[in-house]
Amino acid sequence: MIAAINEAVDFIRKHYEHKPAVGIVLGSGMGSFTDEIRIEKEIPYSDIPHFPVSTVAGHKGKLVFGEVGGKKVVCMAGRFHYYEGYTAQQVVFPIRVMKFLGIETLLLSNAAGGVNPAFQVGDMMIITDHISQLIPNPLIGKNEQELGPRFPDMSEPYSKKLIARAKQIAAEKGIALREGVYVAVTGPTFETTAEYKMIHVMGGDVVGMSTVQEVIAAVHMGLPAFATSVVTDLGLRPEGMPPVTHEEVLHAAKTAEPKFKALFCELIAQL
Ligand code: HPA
């Protein structure tokens, strides 16, 4: 595992000489964040040794290197989801590679379903905590001591410092922000009504199919993480409302894009 990470890192360093300070993972519908990057280099995932290989025809993903707000960043344009058939370890491989490339902060984003009755489609939520028990943990298996401890502490999975900074930026810029708990599920089915209710009762504000395995891998390595969700649909909808569709999710994510870009750009500039 460590050898595979090092081989990926060596390959990337041959093509891009700078050390990125920030790693960014873009969620569904948020791919145009790369417009905010002064791009220096792009490397397709398919070129990088040991990166998960996409089985989906036409699926393209790449690492984008460049600058945002005077900071060197590496951005994953396209992430790996457990529901695509990758193992939890494959899903988090790029996070480990970015850490070995030198990132000191990890910023993630996703589209999620709202189960907090106060939430509306298009809301942006800072993830303050998560519930990971419905998905496989990426740290299951032999522990790589070089990455982190066998039993990592999870009392602050999302950096309180970064959350405070983001809230201050949002207040200054007049960006409305929610805060709450993200419940991770495997997907690819959206939830049944009973499942959305369970997720609400168990303490969730939103539910989604990404992010949490990546954050667990980051915390394992002592890498501070910050994540936001865009609420793209409401799980607990009144009787008779039409069901959630992927198109609806992508459309709603797009409407929140300006808020998301403004917050992430300023957060990166202030790191
Ligand atoms: N459930 C799970 N994942 C999601 C949802 C949802 O309702 N919306 C966007 N991603």
Side-chain angles (χ1 to χ4, degrees):
M1 155 89 80
I2 302 287
I5 297 170
N6 280 326
E7 278 173 37
V9 167
D10 288 347
F11 174 87
I12 292 165
R13 288 217 175 111
K14 268 188 215 130
H15 293 84
Y16 183 73
E17 59 187 341
H18 303 290
K19 179 170 101 92
V22 186
I24 305 165
V25 185
L26 298 177
S28 306
M30 281 158 255
S32 80
F33 181 81
T34 51
D35 295 346
E36 307 296 315
I37 303 174
R38 208 173 56 71
I39 296 176
E40 293 167 342
K41 182 78 193 170
E42 298 184 336
I43 306 179
Y45 294 154
S46 53
D47 288 359
I48 306 173
H50 307 292
F51 251 57
V53 177
S54 173
T55 49
V56 185
H59 177 104
K60 46 182 192 325
K62 59 191 173 185
L63 287 182
V64 179
F65 294 86
E67 248 177 50
V68 175
K71 302 275 171 11
K72 295 282 183 209
V73 304
V74 50
C75 180
M76 286 180 69
R79 60 147 57 98
F80 300 97
H81 300 89
Y82 185 71
Y83 65 73
E84 292 174 272
Y86 303 108
T87 64
Q89 290 74 21
Q90 286 177 310
V91 167
V92 305
F93 184 76
I95 307 297
R96 291 172 166 161
V97 169
M98 291 195 290
K99 165 76 171 147
F100 275 52
L101 281 171
I103 65 165
E104 286 148 33
T105 307
L106 179 67
L107 308 180
L108 309 103
S109 57
N110 61 58
V115 293
N116 180 325
F119 286 8
Q120 288 171 350
V121 168
D123 282 357
M124 186 160 65
M125 187 194 92
I126 293 181
I127 303 179
T128 52
D129 206 346
H130 71 223
I131 294 174
S132 70
Q133 302 301 317
L134 305 176
I135 54 160
N137 193 304
L139 306 185
I140 288 173
K142 177 178 171 292
N143 186 55
E144 296 283 358
Q145 207 61 32
E146 207 176 310
L147 295 179
R150 172 74 289 188
F151 300 108
D153 174 69
M154 272 286 155
S155 56
E156 192 183 330
Y158 302 86
S159 157
K160 289 200 168 78
K161 203 172 114 204
L162 292 173
I163 292 171
R165 187 82 53 84
K167 284 166 73 172
Q168 198 185 337
I169 292 166
E172 283 162 14
K173 289 187 172 284
I175 300 170
L177 267 188
R178 306 282 195 176
E179 284 177 56
V181 174
Y182 179 100
V183 175
V185 291
T186 65
T189 45
F190 289 115
E191 289 65 43
T192 65
T193 303
E195 286 164 346
Y196 281 123
K197 280 185 189 154
M198 172 193 78
I199 287 160
H200 177 49
V201 167
M202 78 199 290
D205 295 292
V206 299
V207 51
M209 308 174 194
S210 68
T211 305
V212 163
Q213 290 168 329
E214 295 152 334
V215 168
I216 289 172
V219 173
H220 185 223
M221 299 183 291
L223 176 63
F226 171 84
T228 59
S229 292
V230 170
V231 176
T232 53
D233 54 276
L234 299 176
L236 299 174
R237 6 176 115 199
E239 286 280 318
M241 289 256 301
V244 183
T245 64
H246 184 57
E247 287 65 37
E248 175 190 4
V249 166
L250 289 181
H251 176 75
K254 274 258 164 288
T255 63
E257 223 170 15
K259 282 191 288 194
F260 160 73
K261 282 181 178 174
L263 179 68
F264 268 47
C265 284
E266 188 57 29
L267 190 57
I268 293 166
Q270 289 193 19
L271 282 173

